[in-house]
Amino acid sequence: MKFEEIKKQAENCRKCDLWKTRTNVVFGEGPTNAKVMFIGEAPGFNEDKQGKPFVGRAGKFLDELLTAAGLKREDVYITNIVKCRPPNNRDPTDSEIKACYPYLDFQISHINPKIIVPLGRHASKVIFERYKLPFEGISKEHGKTREISNLFGKLKIIPMYHPAAAIYNQSLKGVLIEDFKKALGNV
Ligand code: URA
Ligand code: SF4
């Protein structure tokens, strides 16, 4: 099925209870042939209002990180593990992640990026599971490139700390900037 059709399906989705409290479904944004795909956790307040990923404070910092790595936001695809905002920005539950996973799975298959960058431990855990990689926690895995072979050649998986984590923990800000520069600076 075509990308726009699946996107429309998601925009009317009621597969988990998050539909009851959402304003907009945040499917994702960016070119559907992007080489790099960023995957956050879930939409927050501003994302839910605008229907776009990473447009609030964490998004502003993500923009800075992209610039530091020499990437343009309009060249990358950005989405989240779950497409609807959990009330009060709580963590998505395992059953919500499971219900929403087919959308992400479709996005990855269709876009077929060369590099996947999961942001934070939730997204990293889901992506590591998808590729059957053992996940040892974000503090161990951040900034490290994992290379795997698939039908289409090589795929890199580069987990990063979540940009929002640096808002609460200033010491992570420098780590994130360095990780982005080092791992994504010449892709
Ligand atoms: N945090 C996320 O994980 N995703 C967004 O889209 C915004 C904030
Ligand atoms: Fe559907 Fe995902 Fe929204 Fe749940 S979070 S209602 S599965 S789009």
Side-chain angles (χ1 to χ4, degrees):
M1 238 192 287
K2 287 215 211 71
F3 201 82
E4 284 306 311
E5 286 172 49
I6 301 287
K7 187 176 177 200
K8 270 210 188 92
Q9 274 185 22
E11 282 163 357
N12 296 298
C13 180
R14 296 185 172 188
K15 285 199 294 172
C16 80
D17 281 348
L18 294 181
W19 76 269
K20 294 180 184 168
T21 46
R22 76 183 175 219
T23 314
N24 287 293
V25 174
V26 182
F27 189 67
E29 190 176 49
T32 55
N33 61 353
K35 185 177 161 197
V36 190
M37 183 168 178
F38 289 85
I39 305 172
E41 182 177 319
F45 178 87
N46 295 289
E47 291 77 21
D48 175 67
K49 289 278 172 277
Q50 296 184 38
K52 291 181 182 173
F54 283 96
V55 290
R57 238 174 122 189
K60 292 277 165 302
F61 185 42
L62 178 60
D63 289 344
E64 278 180 45
L65 292 166
L66 292 172
T67 303
L71 293 167
K72 290 204 184 92
R73 184 169 170 134
E74 59 266 33
D75 292 339
V76 303
Y77 195 84
I78 305 177
T79 187
N80 286 297
I81 295 290
V82 298
K83 314 304 190 199
C84 303
R85 181 194 181 210
N88 304 313
N89 298 346
R90 65 160 170 74
D91 288 349
T93 64
D94 285 346
S95 75
E96 288 157 0
I97 291 174
K98 201 170 163 208
C100 210
Y101 181 72
Y103 296 120
L104 181 69
D105 190 61
F106 167 77
Q107 287 169 309
I108 293 173
S109 305
H110 184 97
I111 295 168
N112 189 25
K114 289 272 164 237
I115 301 171
I116 296 179
V117 184
L119 300 167
R121 69 188 163 91
H122 290 283
S124 299
K125 199 164 160 270
V126 169
I127 293 303
F128 272 53
E129 268 169 29
R130 184 182 206 269
Y131 293 100
K132 301 195 166 43
L133 296 166
F135 184 61
E136 303 213 19
I138 194 66
S139 54
K140 268 206 161 166
E141 305 285 355
H142 73 92
K144 283 192 204 155
T145 300
R146 303 280 197 139
E147 198 166 71
I148 58 168
S149 298
N150 64 14
L151 277 175
F152 310 99
K154 298 237 187 286
L155 167 71
K156 285 179 180 168
I157 297 172
I158 313 176
M160 298 288 187
Y161 279 120
H162 196 290
I167 293 167
Y168 304 105
N169 180 351
Q170 281 291 317
S171 66
L172 289 184
K173 198 169 174 176
V175 177
L176 262 162
I177 294 171
E178 281 316 301
D179 282 352
F180 265 67
K181 279 192 192 161
K182 263 194 217 148
L184 293 167
N186 44 20
V187 296

